[in-house]
Amino acid sequence: MHLSEILTHLGEERQNYFNAVSPPIIQSSNFAFSSLEDCRQAFSDELAHHIYTRGNNPTVEILRKKVAALEGAEDALVVASGAAATAMAVIANVKTGSHIVCVQNPYSWTKHLLEDFLPRFGVGHTFVDATETAEIAAAIRPNTTVLYLESPNTMTFELQDLKACAALARKHGLVSIIDNSNCSPIFQQPILHGIDIVIHTGTKYLNGHSDVVNGVICGSKSMIKKIFEQEIMTLGNIISPHDAWLILRGLRTLELRVKRSFESGLKIAQWLETHPKVDKVLFPFLPSFPQYELAKKQMTGCAGLITVFVKADRIGQVEAFFGKLKRFLLAVSWGGHESLIVPMAAFYNVPGRDNPPYPFTLVRIYIGLEDPDWLIEDLAQALEVL
Ligand SMILES: *Cc1c(COP(=O)(O)O)cnc(C)c1O
């Protein structure tokens, strides 16, 4: 289906609501039946009917249809956060005694799920350098049930060869799951490469306006039904109809936003790479990126996220550079309209916390929708202090 059809029309039954162009927010916890027979019918398949908003709400359902189509998946669920999407997809495919193979240094709360939460229920894991598919193969045990991927990875953007990973998972009977938040479905569709489940933090690009926290899970009809009936209905992990409506509004401009963010990101990454005060720049579409060829093979773009190592011997120098910036906000998250910066130095010397495993010269920049030249001007004047 054409991307424009998905973003503009799919799932929208306008004749049912006065031909309104924007769908209604069906702010109702429950739905009445016209007969006992209708009621019986609905209870036979809660995901396909409207009974109760912890299950299937009509506004959320429009969003589910669009998100599934964006990923080329049969079905999708929308949940309370990206972290919840990861947890639901993983928990649905493990039991006591299971083992998970996961990429090294995944998103921080994915790491917590595997390191601190699942061991309480007897589920083990191995983190591997998944830039080499052979490393994944070597970590698979007889009790491994899940292969968890994140490509590009958080912070340093390592990629996994999705076709090879999908084939490996199939061969060993594992469920393959990927966090596809960085590329968004505009630049990478892992299901087309054979991956089983795609999750996103919809907080980032899908919603794109820094005003809703949510997550999505995409997969086959049977996998989505399984997760819905067990994890979603039992743990009550849903979003409100109002939040679903805001995300629908965000999706109208998804293609425009991610392309702008990528193109500006590439321009700024190229500029940073030639700057004398910069040691190294990581961005998957720079020819200097170690997996540039794989990036071009399986992605058509990437997030406007850039990791920069500035030239500094002391943490105070990074602080001075940071203090000069005027057009970037210091904030976590990314994928919104606004450009952000998070210097690793902010995580150094935090009371009660170990220093991070990255040098203090690392600075993560997110490029939003502003004019890239206007952002470069700001970076240029701030880099002068180094
Ligand atoms: C932010 C983020 C998440 C978590 O999403 P939330 O909506 O904040 O729970 C997961 N994966 C990646 C890559 C992220 O950047």
Side-chain angles (χ1 to χ4, degrees):
M1 192 182 297
H2 199 286
L3 179 58
S4 297
E5 175 75 19
I6 298 170
L7 298 180
T8 313
H9 298 304
L10 178 68
E12 303 190 59
E13 296 171 21
R14 296 187 169 110
Q15 71 284 1
N16 293 342
Y17 36 83
F18 311 103
N19 293 313
V21 169
S22 169
I25 303 169
I26 307 288
Q27 192 73 31
S28 185
S29 57
N30 46 356
F31 299 86
F33 299 104
S34 48
S35 71
L36 269 181
E37 199 38 53
D38 280 357
C39 185
R40 285 193 191 105
Q41 192 80 49
F43 275 105
S44 73
D45 185 358
E46 180 149 8
L47 188 54
H49 293 84
H50 303 124
I51 301 175
Y52 189 58
T53 282
R54 175 156 42 80
N56 190 24
N57 172 282
T59 308
V60 180
E61 193 173 19
I62 299 173
L63 179 57
R64 282 179 43 217
K65 286 182 178 159
K66 287 190 193 288
V67 165
L70 285 171
E71 281 293 356
E74 287 176 6
D75 205 350
L77 294 165
V78 186
V79 296
S81 68
T86 294
M88 298 300 96
V90 170
I91 291 170
N93 291 293
V94 293
K95 59 182 189 212
T96 300
S98 298
H99 172 257
I100 299 163
V101 175
C102 179
V103 294
Q104 230 166 22
N105 299 318
Y107 176 71
S108 55
W109 292 98
T110 303
K111 200 165 185 205
H112 275 291
L113 175 74
L114 269 57
E115 278 189 330
D116 306 322
F117 187 93
L118 289 174
R120 287 166 45 201
F121 305 95
V123 176
H125 64 274
T126 306
F127 292 120
V128 296
D129 173 359
T131 56
E132 298 291 338
T133 311
E135 296 263 326
I136 301 175
I140 295 172
R141 303 178 190 170
N143 58 337
T144 305
T145 59
V146 168
L147 172 59
Y148 192 93
L149 309 173
E150 190 182 303
S151 185
N153 208 342
T154 297
M155 208 61 84
T156 40
F157 315 131
E158 289 87 349
L159 311 183
Q160 300 101 55
D161 182 333
L162 300 191
K163 254 198 181 79
C165 287
L168 187 66
R170 199 130 299 163
K171 180 174 154 207
H172 292 271
L174 318 182
V175 174
S176 50
I177 305 174
I178 186 168
D179 182 335
N180 194 33
S181 303
N182 180 295
C183 280
S184 89
I186 302 296
F187 294 141
Q188 176 169 267
Q189 293 178 301
I191 286 175
L192 303 185
H193 297 292
I195 300 294
D196 297 313
I197 301 178
V198 174
I199 74 100
H200 281 274
T201 163
T203 313
K204 313 290 167 57
Y205 276 141
L206 297 184
N207 180 59
H209 291 71
S210 305
D211 50 15
V212 180
V213 174
N214 76 101
V216 307
I217 309 168
C218 307
S220 67
K221 266 207 153 21
S222 61
M223 179 58 80
I224 291 299
K225 195 157 195 275
K226 169 178 140 130
I227 298 173
F228 173 75
E229 287 174 351
Q230 289 286 326
E231 282 69 29
I232 301 297
M233 288 305 282
T234 313
L235 302 175
N237 182 2
I238 62 164
I239 62 160
S240 70
H242 184 257
D243 280 353
W245 183 86
L246 282 168
I247 303 159
L248 281 167
R249 191 167 78 159
L251 279 186
R252 305 289 187 201
T253 55
L254 177 70
E255 184 187 11
L256 291 175
R257 288 185 287 104
V258 300
K259 286 186 174 164
R260 166 83 170 180
S261 177
F262 167 58
E263 282 159 17
S264 301
L266 179 59
K267 180 172 190 180
I268 293 173
Q270 285 165 341
W271 178 82
L272 283 166
E273 200 170 38
T274 61
H275 197 286
K277 302 289 172 69
V278 168
D279 240 349
K280 191 165 104 175
V281 179
L282 292 175
F283 187 81
F285 279 84
L286 285 180
S288 60
F289 187 74
Q291 293 172 291
Y292 176 59
E293 292 303 323
L294 180 59
K296 283 194 296 183
K297 191 174 135 205
Q298 63 186 21
M299 299 141 65
T300 52
C302 64
L305 281 167
I306 309 169
T307 291
V308 185
F309 296 84
V310 294
K311 283 189 181 151
D313 308 319
R314 289 173 294 106
I315 206 163
Q317 291 173 293
V318 182
E319 283 169 17
F321 155 71
F322 172 75
K324 284 281 219 179
L325 287 168
K326 294 190 177 66
R327 298 174 184 174
F328 290 79
L329 296 173
L330 167 63
V332 298
S333 197
W334 55 272
H337 52 90
E338 76 290 6
S339 292
L340 303 170
I341 189 155
V342 180
M344 196 47 69
F347 299 96
Y348 272 69
N349 310 326
V350 178
R353 275 180 73 154
D354 292 338
N355 281 345
Y358 301 103
F360 60 74
T361 54
L362 186 158
V363 178
R364 194 191 75 175
I365 300 173
Y366 166 67
I367 304 301
L369 306 183
E370 305 92 329
D371 179 350
D373 294 323
W374 183 73
L375 295 172
I376 285 175
E377 258 176 39
D378 197 33
L379 289 167
Q381 62 84 23
L383 281 167
E384 285 310 311
V385 306
L386 287 174

